[in-house]
């Protein structure tokens, strides 16, 4: 008896190569034209993607960008820390725009839950640092770090616990007692909790009395969320492996960027999860053989939000300077926080580090159009560190802080690149800039984005056909 052969699957991982905000959302959405499933494998609602489709902006924080493509399955893997209320807010917003979500979204039972006390501790720690004069990490205050701490300490409550109210209540009671001790030690009674957001129309003050978390308020909200989430909860690892066998093309979507990775980033000014491509396997419950093509998303310049070293940073707040040009033309404000992003020249030595730890197959350069109109461009090709020249970003913030960038100067261009869909439509100096990036980093450019619009993309080599 003959058996029908399944169509071979092909899977792509999309990661940010800088400090996040590289424009991953647009590229994930664009690639989903070929993919049948999109998987988010790490981070929480501290991340954000802004998509522009037919001129309309849509901001996503937890739901994979593939949700904007009808019929595409979306998965939230076990590596994600989940704020259930934020997810339900996001679903409601998409449904208001006539996007069907609930039948296409699957949430891993293994996701640790972010609860109000996680955000409260996050805020209290940053307030304490500010009062003591210590350097703030620049956290979003959304409880991401404390939730990952619970996961590693084996005390987290997870999505699967929501299915068992008695078990959930017991675990929650123990956690509230633990966090109230932490908040008391930080003198949280002095914090104005009405200024700390939790859900869209709710502040942390709804859960706090005299600087202490109220168990009943947290429990009641969580049980309400449990009912709404129940139909979407499943064994994501099993479903992804079944999709692979059936011939599905999967797209694994990272949040933040490589230089915010807990192990490989500018530690301690990093996020609390692994943002690198290798974590797509652990954070989704699949084998490493799934990771067949790694696409690194990088801006044509550099930005970062929050504290930490930034070797090529420019004075981006002074009108008329290149940094100001990047910040204003590029509309550099965070999707999640609204904070201004620091701006600087492209850092090839940084990208070489990202290529090394991710195993990049190819690059997608985004926001090339932002550089239109600059007379000259500088490209960082290495650093001077303690009198020695190096060509690779060091590990850790202390060494990076002492790095002095070594620049090459390239001519800019006055012509527009907005909307270009072929290399032939780009100014010669723009092409030369891209080729120099390839040469210095050693990673081929396979795609170029020339505006936020989905269709304004130059394709040189398709990740699903490479």
């Amino acid at each position: 008896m003959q058996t029908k052969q399944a169509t071979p699957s092909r899977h792509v991982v999309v990661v940010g190569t800088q400090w996040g905000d590289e424009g991953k959302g647009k590229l994930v959405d664009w690639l989903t034209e070929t993919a049948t499933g999109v998987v988010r494998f790490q981070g929480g609602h501290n991340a954000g993607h802004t998509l522009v489709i037919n001129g309309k902006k849509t901001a996503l924080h937890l739901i994979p960008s593939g949700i904007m493509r009808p019929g595409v399955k979306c998965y939230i893997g076990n590596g994600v820390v989940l704020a259930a209320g934020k997810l339900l807010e996001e679903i409601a917003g998409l449904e208001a725009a006539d996007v069907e979500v609930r039948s296409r979204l699957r949430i891993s039972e293994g996701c640790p839950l972010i609860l109000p006390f996680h955000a409260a501790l996050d805020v209290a720690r940053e307030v304490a640092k500010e009062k003591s004069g210590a350097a703030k990490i620049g956290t979003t205050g959304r409880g991401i770090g404390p939730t990952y701490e619970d996961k590693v300490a084996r005390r987290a409550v997870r999505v699967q616990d929501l299915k068992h109210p008695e078990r959930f209540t017991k675990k929650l009671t123990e956690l509230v007692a633990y966090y109230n001790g932490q908040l008391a030690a930080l003198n949280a009674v002095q914090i104005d909790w009405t200024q700390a957001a939790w859900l869209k129309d709710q502040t942390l003050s709804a859960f706090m009395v005299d600087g202490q978390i109220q168990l009943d308020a947290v429990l009641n909200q969580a049980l309400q969320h449990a009912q709404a989430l129940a139909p979407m909860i499943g064994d994501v690892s099993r479903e992804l492996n079944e999709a692979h066998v059936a011939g599905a093309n999967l797209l694994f979507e990272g949040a933040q960027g490589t230089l915010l990775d807990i192990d490989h980033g500018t530690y301690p000014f990093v996020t609390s999860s692994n943002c690198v491509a290798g974590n797509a396997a652990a954070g989704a419950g699949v084998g490493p053989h799934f990771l067949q093509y790694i696409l690194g998303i990088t801006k044509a310049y550099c930005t970062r939000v929050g504290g930490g070293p930034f070797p090529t940073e420019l004075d981006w707040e002074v009108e008329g300077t290149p940094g100001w040009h990047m910040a204003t033309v590029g509309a550099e404000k965070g999707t999640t926080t609204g904070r201004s992003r620091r701006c600087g020249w492209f850092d090839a030595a940084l990208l070489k580090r990202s290529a090394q730890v991710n195993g990049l197959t190819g690059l997608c350069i985004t926001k090339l159009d932002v550089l239109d109109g600059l007379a000259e461009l500088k490209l960082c090709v290495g650093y001077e560190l303690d009198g020695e020249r190096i060509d690779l970003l060091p590990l850790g913030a202390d060494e990076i802080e002492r790095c002095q960038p070594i620049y090459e100067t390239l001519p800019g261009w006055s012509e527009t690149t907005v909307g270009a869909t072929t290399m032939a439509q780009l100014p010669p100096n723009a092409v030369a800039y891209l080729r120099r990036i390839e040469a210095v980093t050693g990673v081929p450019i396979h795609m170029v984005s020339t505006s936020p619009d989905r269709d304004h993309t130059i394709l040189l080599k398709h990740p699903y056909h490479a």
Side-chain angles (χ1 to χ4, degrees):
M1 187 174 83
Q2 288 185 328
T3 57
K4 184 179 180 181
Q5 295 294 313
T7 303
S9 297
R10 183 166 177 83
H11 311 310
V12 172
V13 184
V14 173
V15 292
T17 59
Q18 297 163 320
W19 284 285
D21 307 309
E22 299 95 349
K24 296 180 292 296
K26 169 192 166 174
L27 274 301
V28 169
D29 172 67
W30 190 89
L31 288 167
T32 306
E33 188 171 37
T34 305
T36 49
V38 182
V39 189
R40 171 78 181 275
F41 61 84
Q42 51 80 216
H45 63 296
N46 56 339
H49 297 315
T50 300
L51 309 179
V52 180
I53 300 171
N54 297 326
K56 182 179 178 181
K57 284 187 177 182
T58 300
L60 300 173
H61 303 279
L62 280 164
I63 298 175
S65 304
I67 202 68
M68 303 305 292
R69 295 277 189 175
V72 172
K73 292 278 284 187
C74 290
Y75 305 86
I76 296 178
N78 56 275
V80 174
V81 287
L82 187 78
K86 284 294 183 186
L87 177 62
L88 292 170
E89 276 183 9
E90 200 163 308
I91 290 172
L94 288 167
E95 288 176 339
D98 296 322
V99 178
E100 167 54 33
V101 180
R102 294 171 198 259
S103 65
R104 299 196 285 132
L105 180 64
R106 301 295 285 163
I107 305 162
S108 172
E109 293 184 343
C111 292
L113 287 168
I114 305 174
L115 294 159
F117 45 77
H118 293 118
L121 184 62
D122 217 353
V123 171
R125 283 174 171 170
E126 288 287 79
V127 169
K129 282 180 179 290
E130 189 171 40
K131 287 183 176 179
S132 70
K136 294 168 68 175
I137 295 297
T139 170
T140 58
R142 281 155 170 77
I144 311 300
T147 308
Y148 275 115
E149 289 175 37
D150 282 353
K151 175 180 178 176
V152 174
R154 295 165 294 195
R155 59 174 175 256
V157 288
R158 306 201 296 176
V159 166
Q160 61 185 193
D161 293 317
L162 291 173
K163 299 193 297 184
H164 307 280
E166 288 187 11
R167 184 173 87 191
F168 179 78
T169 302
K170 181 177 183 295
K171 289 185 175 184
L172 188 67
T173 302
E174 294 171 356
L175 269 181
V176 167
Y178 170 79
Y179 274 87
N180 277 337
Q182 298 285 306
L183 290 167
L186 290 166
N187 200 22
V189 69
Q190 296 186 355
I191 296 174
D192 181 1
W193 296 105
T194 63
Q195 301 301 308
W198 173 238
L199 299 180
K200 187 173 184 179
D201 300 314
Q202 185 179 39
T203 67
L204 283 173
S205 60
F207 306 93
M208 309 289 295
V209 174
D210 296 329
Q212 295 283 282
I213 287 285
Q214 302 303 294
L215 172 63
D216 288 347
V218 178
L219 177 62
N220 291 338
Q221 186 183 77
L223 293 179
Q224 290 175 11
H225 292 162
Q227 291 183 334
L229 293 179
M232 296 177 279
I233 297 171
D235 186 342
V236 165
S237 172
R238 176 175 180 168
E239 293 182 27
L240 292 175
N241 279 276
E242 289 174 348
H244 168 74
V245 171
N249 288 335
L250 299 175
L251 186 62
F252 293 84
E253 175 185 32
Q256 287 94 29
T258 300
L259 273 298
L260 292 176
D261 183 275
I262 187 67
D263 287 307
H264 302 287
T266 50
Y267 191 91
F269 300 94
V270 291
T271 193
S272 300
S273 61
N274 287 111
C275 312
V276 294
N279 193 39
V286 300
H289 67 289
F290 271 53
L291 315 182
Q292 295 162 310
Y293 179 105
I294 315 298
L295 180 65
I297 313 297
T298 182
K299 278 179 181 164
Y301 50 102
C302 278
T303 65
R304 85 170 293 175
V305 172
F310 184 174
T312 65
E313 183 174 11
L314 295 167
D315 192 345
W316 47 273
E317 295 180 296
V318 176
E319 186 172 350
T321 64
W324 182 86
H325 176 99
M326 295 169 190
T328 52
V329 177
E332 293 296 353
K333 285 190 179 293
T335 301
T336 300
T337 64
R339 291 184 294 180
S340 295
R341 300 183 187 127
R342 301 152 63 192
C343 298
W345 295 118
F346 188 91
D347 191 334
L350 177 155
L351 190 63
K352 287 173 72 173
R353 173 67 72 183
S354 291
Q356 173 180 292
V357 299
N358 286 299
L360 297 180
T361 311
L363 288 175
C364 175
I365 304 294
T366 63
K367 302 190 92 166
L368 180 68
D369 54 296
V370 172
L371 300 182
D372 294 356
L374 290 176
E376 65 177 26
L377 307 172
K378 292 187 184 297
L379 181 70
C380 175
V381 295
Y383 319 103
E384 184 177 305
L385 175 61
D386 301 334
E388 178 184 357
R389 177 167 178 155
I390 58 175
D391 64 356
L392 187 68
L393 188 78
L395 292 173
D398 292 337
E399 286 73 23
I400 296 172
E401 195 72 63
R402 300 199 307 275
C403 285
Q404 297 299 314
I406 298 169
Y407 289 116
E408 289 183 1
T409 302
L410 292 87
W413 55 90
S414 57
E415 308 95 316
T416 183
T417 62
V418 175
T421 55
T422 67
M423 292 292 277
Q425 294 172 337
L426 296 179
N429 286 349
V431 175
Y433 180 66
L434 296 174
R435 295 305 180 213
R436 187 57 185 153
I437 288 173
E438 283 185 313
V440 176
T441 63
V443 186
I445 295 172
H446 287 173
M447 302 173 72
V448 182
S449 173
T450 56
S451 95
D453 193 274
R454 175 193 276 172
D455 296 324
H456 294 168
T457 305
I458 299 172
L459 176 64
L460 302 173
K461 194 170 187 179
H462 200 298
Y464 278 105
H465 306 148

